[in-house]
Amino acid sequence: MPNTPAVTTSTRGNVRTVRLDRPARMNSLDLNAKSQLLDALRAAADDPDVRAVVLTGTGRAFCVGQDLGEARSAGYGQAMADAVREQYNPLVRTLLTMPKPVVAAVNGVAAGAGMALALACDIRIAASSATFTTAFAGIGLSCDTGISWTLPRVAGRAVALDLLLRPRLLGAAEALGLGLLHQVVADEDFEGTVHRSAAELAAGPTRAFAAMKTAVTFASGPALDAALECEAAQIALTGATDDYRAGLDAFLAKRAPAFTGR
């Protein structure tokens, strides 16, 4: 595993900030970044002095999802499902079950798995310049990173299917209107607002917050793990299609894909 830093952490008071730090790659997730992100989130979850967590990115992106430059070497079909189970699902579980509040500080573009990671956080605050897209259909791939579970619960089934089947770039104001965000803040006020919100949560009854997260997840049904396994199975199916190969090739070549339904 490369030792190139892809995630940085800092602590201010009882708030731990976990920052994706690959600005030249728009904070896309290669294997190294996913491993470091999971380690950082688990460390924050296990640290008794950390009472709230902020997840954010460096530069002009929050996270644009999977590093598609690495995708070809990762294999197709079943190999992709294995990667979802081993790399993405643990991130989602950690965010959704962490016994302390997690704030997504969406500083820029949140696409694909990046948007899904934001949705797995408890509170979502975005800079006014931030944008969102589900992105998966653009490369002929099913959805993952828990977005099939989180997005309908955040915005409803109709909106979720619209955003998944017809991915488009949402501005922060539209995302707020759809219920995807809790707050949109002017860029110049963004970091200060995020810290104040996280500090307020950190000063609260975090044992009660943990219990509330458990109760809400339980009441949301179906079981989170079952939904994540279904996502992995659909990734295996779509990751073996001609459409996925065509979509991936087109993305990397920066041209429009020609899908055939095969």
Side-chain angles (χ1 to χ4, degrees), residues 10 15 32 34 37 41 45-46 61 73 78 96 98 113 118 130 152 156 171 203 209 226 247 249 251 255-256:
S10 60
V15 176
N32 183 46
K34 285 177 277 191
L37 179 58
L41 291 174
D46 292 341
S73 62
Q78 189 58 47
L96 285 168
M98 186 183 298
F209 292 164
D249 289 346
F251 178 88
R255 55 176 169 78

Side-chain angles (χ1 to χ4, degrees), residues 14-17 50-54 100-103 198-199 201-202 206:
N14 296 116
V15 176
R16 173 74 49 82
T17 297
V50 173
R51 292 171 55 84
V53 176
V54 173
K100 52 197 71 177
V102 185
V103 177
L201 289 167
T206 49

